[in-house]
Structure formats: structure tokens, C-alpha cells
Amino acid sequence: MLEDIVLIQRFTRAPIFLLNDIRQGGKEYVDEFLTGLEKIDLKNEIVFELFNYADEEFFKRLNKAMPKYSIELTLESADEDIRKYNGKSAMHKCQSN
């Protein structure tokens, strides 16, 4: 992913959106990725997608790793009522197709 970010920066200054919550890869993955971002001369804003609450330590790591970022919160839930409300219901998807 780091190589892709470097490549994208060559042809645009638009924000780079990272799909899915990077924390799904575990703490080691997050640390390795953010350490890699620290080494890049990052010019683009990075947009992180989070699926749930992030603690203060995570935001401290983001602040250390890059000058500018945004967060998009995508609420994921196994509760079917919440999934319907968020437009993520399997029933909703079938009906919309």
C-alpha cells in the first residue's frame, strides 16, 4: 500500500482514500504501516475508514505519521436493524438491485 501511495502522489494531490479499517490487520500491521508513512514525504491527505471507536493512542500514532488526514466512520454491525438503518442490510441490497 505504501508503494501505491507514493505512486498516486506523482500524478495527483487529491486525498487518498484507504478502504477498510487498517486496524483489521492487527496492531503490528498498523504500526508497520504508519511507520512506513512516516518515512514518505507525504503531500496528499490520507482518508482512513474506521469501523468503530478508535482510542487516543491510535490518533496519536496518526498525528505522528502524517501531517494531514481525515477519518470516515463506517458503522458495521451484526444487528439487522442497525444494518438496515445504515443501508447495509442483505435484504436492502437485494431489493435495491
Side-chain angles (χ1 to χ4, degrees), residues 45-89:
E45 176 180 354
I46 304 293
V47 182
F48 291 91
E49 181 178 28
L50 302 182
F51 292 157
N52 54 37
Y53 170 82
D55 62 14
E56 188 175 336
E57 188 61 36
F58 178 73
F59 287 105
K60 285 180 181 178
R61 273 304 271 125
L62 291 181
N63 289 329
K64 180 181 176 191
M66 71 207 82
K68 188 168 46 170
Y69 64 87
S70 293
I71 300 294
E72 178 175 297
L73 185 59
T74 304
L75 299 176
E76 297 289 335
S77 176
D79 183 305
E80 193 59 31
D81 288 334
I82 293 173
R83 292 180 61 74
K84 285 178 189 174
Y85 182 78
N86 290 331
K88 304 269 186 189
S89 170

Side-chain angles (χ1 to χ4, degrees), residues 2 20 23 34 44-45 48 54 60 65 67 80 97:
L2 295 170
N20 294 317
R23 298 172 302 161
L34 294 179
N44 298 57
E45 176 180 354
F48 291 91
K60 285 180 181 178
E80 193 59 31
N97 289 334

Side-chain angles (χ1 to χ4, degrees), residues 7-8 13 35 40 47 53 91:
L7 176 66
I8 291 168
R13 290 290 173 251
T35 298
I40 296 173
V47 182
Y53 170 82
M91 295 289 283

